[in-house]
């Protein structure tokens, strides 16, 4: 069962009632207000320090300005395809708060002077909700709804552009990036749907910009009930873990599968991109998985990397061989069959592979292996011989352990 909880002093993206909002309810909260000065809205977004919620945490205002200042016609895309199996926030927003996303898309178009918008997704209920919202309030901005197949890499921004242009949802080499040449060759803003919803709320509530921009939607999962939670900036992981009884967990898998495994000291980590990066992890999309007391961190790493290897787009040779080598070696460690050089290989690969693929999948696999070595060297040492019951039969490739149902 998945719950929906707000820890904010007042309601922001998670309203008192979590049913799908209609147009009248959204308008009553200040939605779809005119945009007399788009540049002033852009300055407000920048002053609020809003970061993108797709994973990288890039400053939203910088991305908006880059598209606005590029020559030619512009396109804006609401990216609702969340590839992380442990994240539900984007599908929840599209299902329950489609007007907030569409309003944010409208505002992003005004700021960037875009003449076309797209909503990109793979979820049936989300598509239905978005189409109902578009029918409720026709927009001056032409908006297409573009479907894709759900895969780990389908939400990467160049894969988004490629699919909207009629191709497969697979990443392409960079440069150019979408803000330089995107949909149809036009400078394109590819923005996560939570980012857009927060832009809409910043516009509707300029008196609460710090609260709106700093808050984060987080998906919590593990051995107990999962939850989608909206929390203030800087909330410590211990506070979140205690909400669902995960407070005694030995480890946490950060950022979906992108942020790596963190061990001792995880309770002191705040929800902050910079501080997590400094600690060797990554916040990513804000999904947190807490293994149960009977789970072995080695088994968690094996399953995560096996899933990533299976999800490889198979376009980059270094990704195919790199994720495969990481997965095979970790599986051998779990079975107690690894050679004496296994740890050295894993360490070398975790340092040398990041940044060499067309997307972040290879980086995620390397970070999981590297953080396992950093935080759980003693657990790896215990796997020199077969016999770890938690690792027996580990490594399904479907991501089942990490998958969370949408509330």
């Amino acid at each position: 069962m998945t719950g929906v909880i707000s820890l904010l002093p007042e309601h922001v993206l998670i309203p008192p009632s979590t049913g799908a909002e209609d147009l009248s309810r959204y308008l009553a909260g200040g939605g779809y207000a005119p945009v007399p000065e788009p540049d002033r809205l852009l300055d407000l977004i920048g002053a609020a320090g809003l970061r993108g919620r797709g994973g990288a945490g890039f400053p939203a205002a910088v991305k908006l300005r880059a598209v606005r200042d590029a020559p030619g016609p512009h396109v804006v895309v609401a990216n609702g395809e969340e590839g992380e199996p442990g994240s539900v926030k984007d599908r929840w927003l599209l299902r329950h708060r489609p007007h907030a996303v569409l309003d944010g898309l409208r505002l992003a178009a005004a700021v960037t002077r875009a003449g076309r918008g797209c909503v990109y997704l793979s979820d049936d209920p989300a598509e239905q909700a978005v189409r109902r919202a578009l029918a409720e309030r026709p927009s001056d901005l032409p908006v297409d709804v573009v479907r894709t197949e759900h895969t780990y890499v389908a939400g990467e921004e160049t894969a988004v552009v490629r699919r909207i242009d009629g191709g497969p949802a697979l990443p392409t080499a960079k440069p150019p990036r979408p803000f330089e040449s995107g949909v149809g060759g036009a400078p394109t803003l590819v923005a996560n749907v939570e980012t857009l919803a927060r832009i809409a709320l910043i516009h509707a509530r300029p008196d609460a910009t710090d609260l709106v921009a700093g808050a984060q939607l987080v998906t919590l999962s593990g051995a107990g009930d999962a939850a989608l939670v909206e929390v203030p900036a800087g909330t410590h992981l211990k506070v979140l873990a205690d909400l669902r009884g995960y407070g005694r967990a030995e480890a946490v898998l950060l950022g979906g599968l992108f942020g790596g495994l963190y061990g001792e000291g995880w309770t002191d980590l705040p929800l902050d991109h910079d501080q997590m990066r400094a600690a060797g992890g990554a916040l990513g999309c804000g999904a947190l998985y807490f293994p149960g007391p009977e789970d072995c961190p080695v088994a968690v790493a094996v399953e995560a990397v096996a899933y990533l290897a299976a999800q490889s787009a198979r376009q980059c040779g270094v990704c195919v061989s790199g994720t495969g080598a990481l997965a095979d070696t970790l599986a051998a460690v779990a079975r107690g069959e690894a050679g004496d050089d296994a740890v050295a290989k894993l360490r070398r690969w975790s340092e040398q592979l990041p940044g060499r693929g067309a997307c972040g999948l290879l980086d995620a696999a390397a970070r999981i292996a590297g953080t396992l070595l950093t935080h759980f060297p003693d657990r790896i040492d215990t796997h020199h011989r077969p016999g770890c019951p938690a690792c027996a039969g580990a490594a399904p490739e479907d991501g089942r352990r990490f998958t969370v149902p949408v509330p």
Side-chain angles (χ1 to χ4, degrees):
M1 180 183 296
T2 310
V4 182
I5 305 167
S6 175
L7 297 184
L8 300 182
E10 53 187 291
H11 295 287
V12 178
L13 277 180
I14 294 180
S17 169
T18 56
E21 71 179 354
D22 59 16
L23 178 61
S24 61
R25 194 164 108 194
Y26 186 66
L27 291 173
Y32 292 120
V35 197
E37 299 179 68
D39 286 348
R40 187 171 179 179
L41 172 59
L42 179 56
D43 290 340
L44 192 62
I45 294 167
L50 179 66
R51 290 192 175 202
R53 296 300 198 269
F58 194 74
V62 174
K63 204 169 180 180
L64 286 160
R65 282 194 181 92
V67 175
R68 182 199 64 178
D69 295 344
H74 302 150
V75 179
V76 288
V77 178
N79 184 5
E81 172 50 26
E82 50 191 344
E84 296 286 0
S87 180
V88 298
K89 69 182 183 68
D90 296 340
R91 284 167 290 167
W92 185 89
L93 279 171
L94 289 170
R95 292 183 187 189
H96 295 277
R97 300 220 58 188
H99 282 294
V101 175
L102 292 173
D103 195 6
L105 189 67
R106 171 189 73 102
L107 295 168
V111 167
T112 60
R113 305 184 184 101
R116 177 188 175 190
C118 297
V119 180
Y120 177 82
L121 43 69
S122 65
D123 180 60
D124 285 334
E127 180 182 3
Q128 294 167 17
V130 168
R131 291 192 183 279
R132 281 195 301 269
L134 285 169
E136 278 188 308
R137 189 181 190 280
S139 173
D140 292 337
L141 176 73
V143 176
D144 299 317
V145 180
V146 179
R147 284 292 299 259
T148 188
E149 293 298 317
H150 175 70
T151 66
Y152 188 85
V153 301
E156 194 274 339
E157 63 176 5
T158 62
V160 173
V161 168
R162 195 172 177 184
R163 177 68 190 94
I164 292 173
D165 277 343
L170 298 174
T172 59
K174 297 172 278 290
R177 290 188 175 275
F179 77 86
E180 298 166 311
S181 177
V183 175
T188 300
L189 176 78
V190 180
N192 174 262
V193 294
E194 183 187 349
T195 311
L196 293 171
R198 293 199 181 278
I199 288 174
L201 290 175
I202 285 172
H203 181 56
R205 301 183 56 186
D207 59 326
T209 55
D210 289 346
L211 174 66
V212 172
Q216 177 101 19
L217 287 175
V218 181
T219 310
L220 309 177
S221 62
D225 287 347
L228 176 65
V229 189
E230 189 169 21
V231 299
T235 300
H236 281 72
L237 267 56
K238 180 70 163 66
V239 174
L240 300 174
D242 286 344
L243 284 175
R244 279 299 189 261
Y246 303 139
R248 305 178 97 183
E250 180 184 6
V252 58
L253 185 60
L254 302 169
L257 304 181
F258 183 73
L261 269 168
Y262 209 94
E264 185 177 357
W266 69 259
T267 55
D268 297 325
L269 287 176
L271 282 174
D272 180 90
H273 282 281
D274 295 333
Q275 292 189 59
M276 280 201 179
R277 190 176 299 116
L283 177 57
C285 64
L288 304 172
Y289 174 81
F290 297 92
E294 73 287 351
D295 294 323
C296 176
V298 175
V300 174
V302 168
E303 294 188 25
V305 175
Y307 175 75
L308 290 169
Q311 287 288 309
S312 170
R314 312 198 75 77
Q315 296 185 132
C316 306
V318 68
C319 180
V320 175
S321 61
T323 56
L326 287 166
D328 291 345
T329 304
L330 283 169
V333 170
R335 294 192 303 265
E337 299 172 358
D340 294 338
D341 60 347
V343 169
K345 286 181 177 178
L346 290 170
R347 192 174 304 282
R348 183 174 69 253
W349 293 331
S350 69
E351 294 170 352
Q352 295 178 352
L353 290 175
R356 297 182 62 188
C359 68
L361 185 146
L362 179 58
D363 295 25
R367 183 179 283 116
I368 289 169
T371 51
L372 177 71
L373 298 178
T374 298
H375 290 276
F376 301 98
D378 56 329
R379 301 301 291 269
I380 293 175
D381 288 343
T382 64
H383 287 72
H384 287 315
R385 298 188 306 273
C388 176
C391 290
E397 297 179 350
D398 57 7
R400 190 181 316 141
R401 176 196 286 260
F402 311 107
T403 301
V404 181
V406 182

